[in-house]
Amino acid sequence: MRAMKPKYLMNSLQRRFLPSSAYQSEWDEETVPSWFHHELSDLHHQKREKQAKLHMTLPASCAQALQTHGIWIKHNALPREFFRRLKFEAFDYFVGQRDRNKRLLSNWHNAQSFTLPLNYTHLLRQPFLQSAITDELIPPPLQYAAGRKGKPMYQLEAMAQCAPAFRFETDGNSTPPFEIEHDARAPGATALLFLETITPEDGALFYIPGSHRMTEQRIFWEYQRHIYLAEIDEEEESPITGLSDLQELDLPPLLPLNVQANTLLIWDRTGFHGRLPSTNNSQNAHTAHRLALRADLSTKSSARGN
C-alpha cells in the first residue's frame, strides 16, 4: 500500500471527521468537495476585497487592466536618467555580491536563472537602487497587487538570454514543450522592472489574459489536478502544465509580451504565465544575463496557502 504524503493525509483525516453533508467524495471526478471549493474561492474573495479599496489610487487604465486581464505593462516606467543610473547600480551591486559569494560564483555559468535578495543594509552606496524600492516611485500598482497590508520582498534576478538550455527538445516537427506557471493557492502578484530588453529569440515572456479569475470551471480544473498530483509517487517529478492541459478551460490564446528596457510588468500569479522557448537555433548560442528588479507580492491571507 502506497503511503500518502503528509498534506494529503491531513486533508483525508480532516474530511473523515467532517459531517458527511459538508463535502463530496474526493475521488468523485464529477464534483468538487466544498472544502476544496471554499479554500480557493475564499482566498480570492479576500484578495479582491483588499484590492478594491486601492482602485482609487490607480490610473483608470491600469486598474481596469489588472482587474480584467490580470496583467499590466508600462513602458518607460522611470525617468530616463534615473533609470540609467539605477541600471548601473543594479549591475554593480549584483556583480559585487556575486563575486563575494562562492555559491553564486560557482553557479553563475551553470544556472539558467537565480535571484539575489536586496539587503537594505548593503544599499547605502547605491542611492538610486535604494530609492527605487523605498521612495514610492512606482508604488500604486505594487500596493494594488500586494493588497493594503502586503509588503514587497525585492530581489535582483538574472536570467540567461539565448541560452541553448532554453531550446527544449522536440519530437519531429511538433511544437516545443514549455512549462506554464500558475499558483491558485498563492493569489498574489509578481512585479518586474526590466533592466534590459528581452527579444523573441531570448524566449519571450507570455501571459494568458483573464486566466487569473477563479471561476467555477477553474476550480474544477484545479481539483482534477489536485487528484492527479495526489496519485503521483514522491519519487516522481511533478508534471509540468502545458497548453494541452488547458484545453478544457476555453481560455484565449497566450499573449507573448514585448518587453523593452525600463518596462514595469505586474501579473497575477494565479493566471497562466511563463516563458516561451528560445528561437535561437545556433548550437553555440550566446549567453548573456539580463537583470530584473523583482518584487514578489502576496496578501496576508494568501501567505497561509503557500
Side-chain angles (χ1 to χ4, degrees):
M1 179 177 179
R2 181 171 60 87
M4 294 184 70
K5 299 179 183 179
K7 63 178 181 179
Y8 298 120
L9 177 60
M10 291 303 296
N11 285 338
S12 178
L13 291 174
Q14 181 184 19
R15 293 191 296 277
R16 181 177 299 176
F17 291 100
L18 285 174
S20 59
S21 60
Y23 66 95
Q24 300 286 345
S25 170
E26 179 186 5
W27 309 111
D28 182 356
E29 296 186 358
E30 299 303 320
T31 58
V32 178
S34 60
W35 65 267
F36 189 91
H37 189 282
H38 291 159
E39 180 181 336
L40 294 189
S41 59
D42 286 352
L43 277 175
H44 291 271
H45 178 70
Q46 293 170 21
K47 179 187 69 172
R48 289 193 301 270
E49 281 188 337
K50 290 183 177 181
Q51 292 178 337
K53 299 177 182 178
L54 297 167
H55 265 190
M56 63 186 67
T57 65
L58 294 172
S61 59
C62 174
Q64 184 176 2
L66 288 170
Q67 186 175 20
T68 305
H69 304 297
I71 184 172
W72 178 70
I73 187 168
K74 179 178 175 59
H75 300 291
N76 299 317
L78 298 175
R80 180 178 300 178
E81 182 60 20
F82 184 98
F83 177 75
R84 185 185 69 82
R85 299 191 183 192
L86 170 67
K87 180 177 177 178
F88 175 82
E89 288 186 359
F91 275 84
D92 179 67
Y93 178 80
F94 190 92
V95 173
Q97 294 295 315
R98 179 202 68 187
D99 292 346
R100 294 186 187 97
N101 187 315
K102 293 182 179 180
R103 182 183 60 82
L104 283 178
L105 187 60
S106 63
N107 292 336
W108 175 254
H109 296 290
N110 298 323
Q112 295 179 5
S113 66
F114 52 89
T115 58
L116 176 69
L118 288 177
N119 190 325
Y120 290 99
T121 61
H122 292 164
L123 295 180
L124 297 178
R125 296 185 179 181
Q126 283 85 19
F128 287 89
L129 184 57
Q130 187 179 48
S131 179
I133 65 176
T134 59
D135 291 351
E136 299 188 351
L137 289 169
I138 46 179
L142 298 184
Q143 291 174 0
Y144 172 87
R148 184 173 295 277
K149 295 182 180 180
K151 183 178 181 181
M153 298 298 295
Y154 288 96
Q155 297 174 321
L156 280 175
E157 178 187 40
M159 181 175 287
Q161 293 182 171
C162 294
F166 285 117
R167 294 186 296 102
F168 297 97
E169 296 295 331
T170 61
D171 297 325
N173 296 322
S174 61
T175 304
F178 56 92
E179 183 173 5
I180 297 178
E181 299 177 14
H182 56 97
D183 192 346
R185 288 183 172 82
T190 295
L192 292 164
L193 176 62
F194 292 94
L195 305 180
E196 289 186 339
T197 297
I198 299 179
T199 67
E201 73 171 5
D202 297 329
L205 298 173
F206 69 85
Y207 196 87
I208 300 182
S211 62
H212 67 297
R213 301 190 191 96
M214 194 50 56
T215 61
E216 295 296 323
Q217 189 182 42
R218 174 67 182 274
I219 292 176
F220 179 74
W221 185 90
E222 292 288 347
Y223 178 61
Q224 296 283 73
R225 185 171 178 81
H226 166 80
I227 295 176
Y228 178 58
L229 293 177
E231 296 174 342
I232 297 176
D233 291 331
E234 290 188 4
E235 293 77 13
E236 298 181 28
E237 292 186 8
S238 296
I240 67 172
T241 299
L243 277 178
S244 60
D245 299 315
L246 308 183
Q247 291 180 352
E248 61 192 77
L249 290 177
D250 192 28
L251 295 170
L254 63 83
L255 175 67
L257 304 176
N258 177 19
V259 178
Q260 304 295 322
N262 197 11
T263 292
L264 175 61
L265 170 66
I266 296 178
W267 61 33
D268 192 314
R269 285 204 305 270
T270 305
F272 297 105
H273 59 278
R275 185 178 182 187
L276 295 171
S278 171
T279 59
N280 192 319
N281 294 319
S282 172
Q283 292 296 321
N284 298 312
H286 174 64
T287 302
H289 287 83
R290 61 95 169 161
L291 288 176
L293 179 62
R294 180 188 186 99
D296 284 324
L297 312 167
S298 62
T299 65
K300 208 168 186 180
S301 297
S302 68
R304 293 198 302 265
N306 289 341

